[in-house]
């Protein structure tokens, strides 16, 4: 399975926030949508991901006033993106190497989706369950 196929199974809209919005606004948006990360955009072009981890670090460094800071004031986290044609193994390797739990899926400058480590794990568990069921059926048919 590739990244595009997994995104089609998710059928979840990508929630974004502008780079000049506040960290507090990002936290509220994540909480309201029950998600752990947002794609940050500038003029509708993805520039980074902000995650719960970024917000916690900001609070640890700046205290309660961190919520009033704009997202662009955060240290650059790098733009971790992947092609929709990449395999899930490639996505896992990139997440492991870059130590990120979320990847933007992009085609050029166009945002296609967001992929989380949880999405990949959920998919792998589904594949393992299917494989287990097939093996049980084969075993039962042979005996």
């Amino acid at each position: 399975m590739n990244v595009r196929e997994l995104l089609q199974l998710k059928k979840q809209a990508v929630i974004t926030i502008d780079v000049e919005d506040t960290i507090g606004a990002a936290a509220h948006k994540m909480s309201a949508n029950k998600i752990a990360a947002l794609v940050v955009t500038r003029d509708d072009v993805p520039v980074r991901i902000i995650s719960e981890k970024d917000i916690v670090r900001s609070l640890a460094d700046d205290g309660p006033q961190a919520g009033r800071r704009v997202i662009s004031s955060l240290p650059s986290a790098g733009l971790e993106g992947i092609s929709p044609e990449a395999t899930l193994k490639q996505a896992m390797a990139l997440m492991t190497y870059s130590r990120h739990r979320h990847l933007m899926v992009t085609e050029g400058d166009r945002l296609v989706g967001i992929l989380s480590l949880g999405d990949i794990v959920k998919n792998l568990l589904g594949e393992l369950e299917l494989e287990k069921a097939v093996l049980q059926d084969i075993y039962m048919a042979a005996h």
Side-chain angles (χ1 to χ4, degrees), residues 23-83:
I23 294 168
H28 286 292
K29 200 173 235 192
M30 284 182 214
S31 178
N33 290 284
K34 297 179 175 62
I35 55 176
L38 297 167
V39 174
V40 180
T41 60
R42 175 179 281 123
D43 300 324
D44 294 325
V45 175
V47 294
R48 69 173 292 160
I49 289 178
I50 184 170
S51 68
E52 292 169 325
K53 183 169 62 170
D54 297 316
I55 293 170
V56 168
R57 285 184 178 153
S58 182
L59 283 169
D61 292 344
D62 300 329
Q65 64 272 20
R68 291 188 292 268
R69 288 180 52 201
V70 293
I71 296 168
S72 61
S73 70
L74 290 173
S76 176
L79 183 62
E80 292 297 338
I82 195 161
S83 162

Side-chain angles (χ1 to χ4, degrees), residues 71-119:
I71 296 168
S72 61
S73 70
L74 290 173
S76 176
L79 183 62
E80 292 297 338
I82 195 161
S83 162
E85 304 312 319
T87 66
L88 295 184
K89 285 185 181 183
Q90 290 170 319
M92 286 188 296
L94 180 57
M95 286 177 169
T96 300
Y97 176 75
S98 66
R99 301 187 68 151
H100 289 100
R101 296 181 190 134
H102 299 86
L103 294 175
M104 286 186 288
V105 183
T106 56
E107 286 182 310
D109 282 348
R110 190 173 70 84
L111 181 64
V112 177
I114 188 169
L115 188 65
S116 73
L117 188 55
D119 297 331

